[in-house]
Amino acid sequence: MSLMGEVGQTAFNLGVPLAVHLDITYRCNERCVHCYLDHDDHGEMTTAEIKGVLDQLAEAGVFFLTFSGGEVFLRRDFFELVEHARRLMFNVKIKTNAVMIGEKEAKRLRALNIDTMQISLYSHRAEVHDAITKLPHSFERTVKAIKFLHDQGLRVTIANVLMTANLGDHYGTQKLAAELGVHYTLDPTITPMMDGDMGVLELRIPGKELEEVFRNPALVGNQEEFCAPPPLPSAEDLEGYSCSAGHSFCYISPYGDVFPCVQFPLPTGNVRQQKFLDIWNFSPQMNEVRSIQARDLTTCSSCSHVASCTRCPGLAYMEGNMRGPSTADCEKSFYRTGVATANMLRLGLEKPVSAGRGGQLIQIQAAV
């Protein structure tokens, strides 16, 4: 295990909040078709409030801090907040669409020694990217900013969400990232709206496309190992709970609400009303999340994929039960390995069908 892996595992075991994702605004200059946020401002934390939260996070032992949104650069105090975070010695990562970053901003970010800039780019074709963001010329501005940041010596990662709107463009986007000299990641996860609206799940890609993605060595590394049948779970696997949400990681909204993860909208407290450490240590909801072991999971505890599945407890929670299966992850496990999941077997399914169905597992009639 690497040094950072050991640090992460130790924090997980001890319940130390090693990493926090902090959204400082939900306002955005783009209106991405797959976005799960409400972009209206319902009373964001002030500069002083956020600085106070950062002080509390430092005291709690947080080291990795992600600033995100919405679009972080819509806050006029953004650089003031980042400067405060760096004075507290956080390792800072910023998620942005980068359309507001020019040479001046890029140089300032370099001076602050930001660890990573994660920038959303959905296609190598301007017309496709702009159709997803609904902001004309956003592709041109984003790519220009990526070049600025890379030229400043900053570590840049292009984050591409795979959906029906950019189906088939991931190879071209990956090639563009290589030409720009930056890292590339691809994520086929479409998240329901935070208010529970599932309509956006219609953008999830068909399983056939997932199968193709999982057989791309440039994305998954060792294909034979990645796509191998799942190993039999051990007793240690059943005692574990691989997701870091609530164990060594949590999410804070622009309004001070604390959740186990940005994809796990279970309210656990609010930093405007309580100290962060009190929420982290004593919230009944947070402690319930921590109490769950793989053996406690409905259906999943009996699944051959339990030790290797990417099951998201937040997506399972949004489906109605944090201890239940996450349909999207069941689908990924099947198309990655070709082996049916326990959830599929329970429902009598031969395969999951996602096209136009929001990633749901659809029961099909067995051949006679």
Side-chain angles (χ1 to χ4, degrees), residues 37 44 172 217 261 273 276:
L37 299 175
E44 297 169 358
C261 175
Q273 301 162 4
F276 172 77

Side-chain angles (χ1 to χ4, degrees), residues 7 58 85 87 110 123 144 146 192 197 207 254 274 300 331 362:
V7 170
R87 280 194 295 270
R110 179 67 188 90
S123 175
K144 187 176 181 180
I146 291 171
D197 185 350
Q274 301 165 268
C300 300
E331 184 179 36
I362 306 300

Side-chain angles (χ1 to χ4, degrees), residues 323-335:
R323 292 174 173 81
S326 160
T327 299
D329 291 304
C330 286
E331 184 179 36
K332 289 178 194 174
S333 290
F334 173 78
Y335 281 110

Side-chain angles (χ1 to χ4, degrees), residues 244-357:
S244 62
H247 291 269
S248 58
F249 173 86
C250 72
Y251 163 66
I252 303 176
S253 82
Y255 313 121
D257 297 308
V258 180
F259 303 94
C261 175
V262 68
Q263 289 189 163
F264 198 160
L266 170 69
T268 66
N270 188 289
V271 292
R272 281 173 157 167
Q273 301 162 4
Q274 301 165 268
K275 294 291 185 182
F276 172 77
L277 265 178
D278 287 341
I279 297 170
W280 180 261
N281 289 325
F282 305 119
S283 162
Q285 296 85 0
M286 200 74 84
N287 283 322
E288 180 185 5
V289 170
R290 292 190 192 114
S291 72
I292 302 171
Q293 295 182 318
R295 66 172 72 254
D296 302 321
L297 300 176
T298 305
T299 306
C300 300
S301 59
S302 62
C303 185
S304 62
H305 293 269
V306 69
S308 59
C309 181
T310 59
R311 176 188 175 275
C312 172
L315 294 180
Y317 171 77
M318 296 191 80
E319 287 187 30
N321 182 4
M322 73 172 80
R323 292 174 173 81
S326 160
T327 299
D329 291 304
C330 286
E331 184 179 36
K332 289 178 194 174
S333 290
F334 173 78
Y335 281 110
R336 179 170 58 84
T337 65
V339 177
T341 68
N343 194 33
M344 291 171 58
L345 296 173
R346 179 178 65 87
L347 296 172
L349 306 179
E350 293 181 2
K351 65 178 181 178
V353 180
S354 62
R357 301 296 187 102

Side-chain angles (χ1 to χ4, degrees), residues 142-200:
T142 295
V143 171
K144 187 176 181 180
I146 291 171
K147 292 177 180 176
F148 284 153
L149 293 165
H150 180 65
D151 289 346
Q152 287 299 313
L154 280 157
R155 184 187 306 171
V156 178
T157 293
I158 285 177
N160 182 16
V161 177
L162 189 60
M163 62 190 106
T164 55
N166 61 359
L167 197 60
D169 278 16
H170 56 278
Y171 289 111
T173 313
Q174 186 178 18
K175 182 180 177 182
L176 175 59
E179 292 170 356
L180 293 169
V182 301
H183 188 58
Y184 173 78
T185 62
L186 181 68
D187 186 359
T189 304
I190 300 295
T191 301
M193 296 288 290
M194 290 193 77
D195 63 4
D197 185 350
M198 298 288 184
V200 70

